[in-house]
């Protein structure tokens, strides 16, 4: 198929300089003067008349599962792809737009929405189905929606199978395992009261758990408050089995994040809601500590869809989907520089972290540890910032960084995933290698260093990223790392492989590793958990 901009051979759209989808979408048609129209079959005999067979082209574009940016580049290189296709269901849409709409319809989150909700999402994303598709794909990618996952909470663990069943194990003092008791549990145990409900997301905090179903419903158990008081107080009672959160029943929720003092949820439309921690309007609203009503996050994110949220000790990060590209906003406590704005001041409303634009980095995954944060860029670079204690930022020192800084030791690694905890960080590369750095206590970094007897079990801190060789030895690609990001418990870590196998290491004193440890409180080497997440 020839391009329409010249008499030369067809252009290769993948060689066009990288541009945002909106930039290409809004390019003026007049930029591409028409001299030959091979796509329409009006040139040499034998040319395939694409205009006469739009369904074939549409099928090919949809079946290839093209990236939204590639669809936009097709429009930029050939007039056939940007002119109205005169094809159902919308005769005014181009073939590229129809292909994007078709791929949106395949998404589980998009399917149950009404036509009015579809149109509202389109306008919220920037007025193009290609932008809607980018929003949906970005959310699936960074949050593992519809896939198996494991959550290493503070003292307890949650594992979700690819079919939506949920297992829990570990500490259960507040009923946070959801089995109807407050008894500790070592082997993974199925939450049977959720039978018939498919869970797609989970979040674990200090003494509480939240689960999200494929229907957008939220179930919570453990502490009955969505926001702890500042001195560790909890609600008047505990909930020991999953209970539907009534205040969220009219919001289709796709993700939850539990921080200290507050909880946040994300709707399928990309709106962020927060519970509690409203004293002094810390999150842009004033509420009581135990308020059970969700409040939409006001300010800069009101009209910008968010694809992922991450909560730290007293702050929240939001990965937003601008028409011009991806960006990160932060709100809350700025202690240690963890909000990323070049200062240590608090922010009561979401504020754009501008440093990524200066670094020419498009964020695709964001992680919030207790006191520091990290981002993976589309090009595989990793940035960290915040409190650098024990080397958790990976820059070779323990200095704080109040703005995102590229981890130079990983410059030759293409990262796809990052996880942060209490002064610890893990990075997963595109080939499944895992790197970790930061606090070595609880053996949660996975390096299993053998120390002289006089030093006991105290593990050294790691100031720069080091390959986790113990995970390399399992000879299987790691796709997700989850680690404890609370300051109250010894940390443990999960590594989930491509085939659904779960490996655990670190602190196991409460049974959070899935086994009862004999004569020890932690495990340095990753060992297989007796559970199949596929």
């Amino acid at each position: 198929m020839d391009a329409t901009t010249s008499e030369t051979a067809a252009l290769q759209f993948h060689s066009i300089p990288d541009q945002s989808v909106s930039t290409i979408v809004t390019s003026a048609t007049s930029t591409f003067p028409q001299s030959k129209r091979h796509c329409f079959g009006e040139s040499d005999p034998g040319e395939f008349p694409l205009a006469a067979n739009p369904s074939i082209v549409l099928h090919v574009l949809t079946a290839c599962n093209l990236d939204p940016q590639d669809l936009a580049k097709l429009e930029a290189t050939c007039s056939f792809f940007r002119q109205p296709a005169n094809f159902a269901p919308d005769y005014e849409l181009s073939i590229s737009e129809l292909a994007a709409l078709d791929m949106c319809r395949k998404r589980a989150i998009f399917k149950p929405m009404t036509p009015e909700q579809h149109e509202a999402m389109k306008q919220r994303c920037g007025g193009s189905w290609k932008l809607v598709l980018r929003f949906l794909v970005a959310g699936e990618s960074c949050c593992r929606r519809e896939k198996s996952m494991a959550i290493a909470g503070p003292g307890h663990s949650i594992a979700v199978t690819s079919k939506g069943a949920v297992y829990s194990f570990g500490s259960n003092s507040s009923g946070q395992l959801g089995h109807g008791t407050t008894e500790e549990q070592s082997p993974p145990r199925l939450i049977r009261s959720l039978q018939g409900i498919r869970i797609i997301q989970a979040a674990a905090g200090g003494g509480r758990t939240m689960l999200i179903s494929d229907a957008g419903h939220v179930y919570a158990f453990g502490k009955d408050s969505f926001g702890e008081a500042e001195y560790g107080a909890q609600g008047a009672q505990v909930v020991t089995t999953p209970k539907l959160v009534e205040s969220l029943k009219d919001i289709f929720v796709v993700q939850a994040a539990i921080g200290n003092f507050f909880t946040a949820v994300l709707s399928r439309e990309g709106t962020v809601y927060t519970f509690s921690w409203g004293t002094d309007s810390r999150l842009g609203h004033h509420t009581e500590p135990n308020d059970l009503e969700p409040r939409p996050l006001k300010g800069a994110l009101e009209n910008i869809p968010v694809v992922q949220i991450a909560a730290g000790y007293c702050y929240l990060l939001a990965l937003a989907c601008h028409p011009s590209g991806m960006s990160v906003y932060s709100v809350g406590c700025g202690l240690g520089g963890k909000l990323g704005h070049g200062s240590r001041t608090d922010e009561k409303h979401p504020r754009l972290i501008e440093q990524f634009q200066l670094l020419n980095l498009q964020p695709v995954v964001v992680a919030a540890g207790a006191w520091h944060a990290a981002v993976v860029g589309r090009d595989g670079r990793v940035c960290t910032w915040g409190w650098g204690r024990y080397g958790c930022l990976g820059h070779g020192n323990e200095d704080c960084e109040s703005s995102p800084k590229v981890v130079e030791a990983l410059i030759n690694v293409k990262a796809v995933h990052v996880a942060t905890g209490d002064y610890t960080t893990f990075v997963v590369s595109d080939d499944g290698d895992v790197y970790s750095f930061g606090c070595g206590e609880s053996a949660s970094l996975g390096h299993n260093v053998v120390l002289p007897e006089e030093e006991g079990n105290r593990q050294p801190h790691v100031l720069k990223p080091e390959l986790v060789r113990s995970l390399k030895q399992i000879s299987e690609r790691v796709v997700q790392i989850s680690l404890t990001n609370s300051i109250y418990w010894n940390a443990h870590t999960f590594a989930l492989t491509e085939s659904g196998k779960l490996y655990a290491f670190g602190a196991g004193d409460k049974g959070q590793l899935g086994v009862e440890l004999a004569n020890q409180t932690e495990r340095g080497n990753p060992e297989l958990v007796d559970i199949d997440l596929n």
Side-chain angles (χ1 to χ4, degrees), residues 140-276:
E140 292 171 353
S141 175
C142 63
C143 298
R144 290 189 61 79
R145 293 174 189 161
E146 311 295 322
K147 298 179 181 178
S148 59
M149 67 174 57
I151 307 297
H156 74 290
S157 305
I158 303 293
V160 183
T161 73
S162 60
K163 296 180 180 179
V166 182
Y167 291 80
S168 62
F169 43 102
S171 176
N172 196 29
S173 58
S174 299
Q176 62 264 42
L177 297 187
H179 300 306
T181 72
T182 55
E183 297 177 2
E184 203 170 277
Q185 176 76 32
S186 293
R189 180 180 173 186
L190 180 68
I191 302 181
R192 299 190 180 280
S193 61
L194 292 170
Q195 187 173 4
I197 299 173
R198 185 185 181 194
I199 300 300
I200 63 168
Q201 281 281 305
R208 62 191 188 277
T209 304
M210 296 178 72
L211 304 175
I212 300 168
S213 75
D214 61 351
H217 297 145
V218 180
Y219 300 84
F221 42 102
K223 293 181 181 179
D224 69 342
S225 170
F226 286 113
E228 296 179 357
E230 294 194 11
Y231 297 101
Q234 65 180 50
Q237 63 180 2
V238 296
V239 179
T240 59
T241 56
K243 180 180 179 182
L244 184 68
V245 180
E246 291 291 335
S247 61
L248 289 170
K249 64 182 180 181
D250 294 328
I251 301 172
F252 196 111
V253 175
V254 294
Q255 191 198 347
I258 301 175
N260 292 74
F261 319 125
F262 75 97
T263 297
V265 298
L266 177 65
S267 77
R268 67 180 171 188
E269 294 81 15
T271 300
V272 181
Y273 297 83
T274 59
F275 293 90
S276 305

Side-chain angles (χ1 to χ4, degrees), residues 8-20:
T8 59
L11 293 174
Q12 300 296 314
F13 63 82
H14 56 72
S15 66
I16 294 177
D18 199 23
Q19 305 174 56
S20 68

